[in-house]
Structure formats: C-alpha cells, structure tokens
Amino acid sequence: MSAKTEKLLSLLDGQPVIPVLKIERAADAVPLARALARGGLKVIEITLRTKEALEAIRRAGAEVEEAVVGAGTILNAKQFDEAASAGSRFIVSPGLTREVLSAAGGSEVPLLPGAITPGEIMTAAEAGLDFLKFFPAEQAGGAAFLKSLASPFAGIRFCPTGGVSLNNAGDYLSLPNVICVGGSWVAPDDLVKAGRWDEIEVLARAASRIGR
C-alpha cells in the first residue's frame, strides 16, 4: 500500500459512503457539511461542476472543523492545483491522465483517480496507485464486474461511484475489494435548495450504517 493510499484511508476512517455533492450556492456548503457530519458522514466530495464549487470547498473546510473536504470531477492539473489551494484534503478524478498524475505527484494531497478497464487499472498500478474510483459503476457492470476484478487485481481496492444508491450500496460494500462507495442520494438537490438540513442528516445517518 502506498503512503498516499494510507493517508486517504486514514481520512476515510472506515466511512462507508462518501457524499458526492454538487453545490450551486457556496452559502449552502457549511450547513450541508455540518448536517452530513452530524449524520456520521464527515468525509465529503464537492465536485467542480458549478461556479461556486471552489468557494464551497474553502468555506466547508475552514468553518466545519469536523469535516474532511475533498474535491471531485478534477479533469486537469489546473483544477487539481486550484482544488488543493482551496483546502481540499483529497482529490477525486473520473479518470487518469499523465497530466493529472503529474500534478498529484508533486502534491501532498492524495489522489483517488477513476479506472474501469483492466488496462486503466494496470496503468494506475504502475503509477503506484492501488485505491481507485470505479466510475460510472452501475453503467460499467456494477458489483458483478467489480467482483470479477478481485482475483486478477488482488492488491487494488475501489470506491464505486455512479448509480450507487441506498438500495445497492450494500452489494458493493460486501465485496472484498471495495473500501467505500460514493453517492449523491444523501444530499438530493431539492433538499439542499430548500435548506432541509435535518432531513439530510437523517439520510446521512442511514448511509453511515450500511454494511455495519
């Protein structure tokens, strides 16, 4: 296991579900992070899919002491550096490129890159990465596909994301090569927009108990 993998796993601290968040308003970042943390999901991924994402990362990281805030949907070195500068504790990418690898190699912030095919997994392993995002999980073959990877890639572990829900998260988490799953169901857009933090806390609490 690489040192950066160990660092990332220590940040996760056994959390089974990483909330994948698309935050339209930076002002929602702090109450959202607090609600998720109260529900047992301290580690969160804020995706760079909105104009306010970097500011949301800054606010949640600075104002919610218990939160471990990472950045997702990182597509290039510029975004990697911006996310790291905003205070991201970890970086998630949907795939793996030489540019992103280079940015990660020069940073203390651990990278969780996406890989689906055997070739992509081998490329990641050659770069010393043994904890990978499996995205889009359901569309790529789901838990059955991941199970088939366990034998040829015995040293690789995954965080499946994409199509993962409360209904199927347990199927993934039961696999020996799955550490955690990523999901957006714990913070639905309508609840975030309405500021219904108590309901999000309830969803987070249910997610935090999956597989336990």
Side-chain angles (χ1 to χ4, degrees):
M1 186 188 302
S2 70
K4 287 187 178 179
T5 295
E6 289 183 354
K7 183 176 182 179
L8 185 49
L9 291 178
S10 71
L11 291 175
L12 286 170
D13 193 27
Q15 182 174 308
V17 178
I18 300 177
V20 179
L21 311 174
K22 185 178 73 173
I23 299 180
E24 301 285 353
R25 302 173 303 200
D28 291 331
V30 169
L32 176 55
R34 284 179 176 152
L36 292 167
R38 286 196 303 270
L41 302 182
K42 297 179 181 180
V43 182
I44 62 175
E45 174 191 334
I46 298 177
T47 63
L48 264 63
R49 299 181 185 179
T50 70
K51 295 179 180 178
E52 305 239 337
L54 288 172
E55 180 60 22
I57 290 169
R58 289 189 192 96
R59 293 190 188 187
E63 299 181 40
V64 187
E65 183 177 350
E66 62 272 31
V68 177
V69 183
T73 322
I74 300 299
L75 304 177
N76 52 53
K78 179 176 182 291
Q79 289 183 335
F80 189 107
D81 292 340
E82 288 175 341
S85 296
S88 299
R89 304 275 296 279
F90 61 96
I91 301 288
V92 184
S93 176
L96 184 63
T97 66
R98 282 191 288 270
E99 183 181 343
V100 172
L101 267 178
S102 178
S107 173
E108 291 300 313
V109 181
L111 171 68
L112 179 63
I116 295 176
T117 68
E120 291 170 346
I121 295 167
M122 290 168 67
T123 297
E126 287 176 1
L129 297 165
D130 47 17
F131 181 29
L132 308 173
K133 175 177 179 175
F134 184 73
F135 173 84
E138 280 293 285
Q139 295 82 353
F145 187 88
L146 265 177
K147 184 178 181 180
S148 72
L149 296 175
S151 180
F153 298 108
I156 305 295
R157 288 176 286 179
F158 296 91
C159 175
T161 305
V164 181
S165 68
L166 182 62
N167 294 328
N168 61 16
D171 296 336
Y172 286 102
L173 290 167
S174 68
L175 300 176
N177 57 344
V178 169
I179 296 292
C180 59
V181 300
S184 59
W185 84 87
V186 292
D189 289 343
D190 58 335
L191 296 188
V192 174
K193 289 176 181 176
R196 290 154 64 180
W197 312 123
D198 289 346
E199 294 178 50
I200 288 174
E201 180 182 342
V202 171
L203 291 174
R205 187 167 290 110
S208 72
R209 294 170 178 163
I210 298 174
R212 294 180 178 175

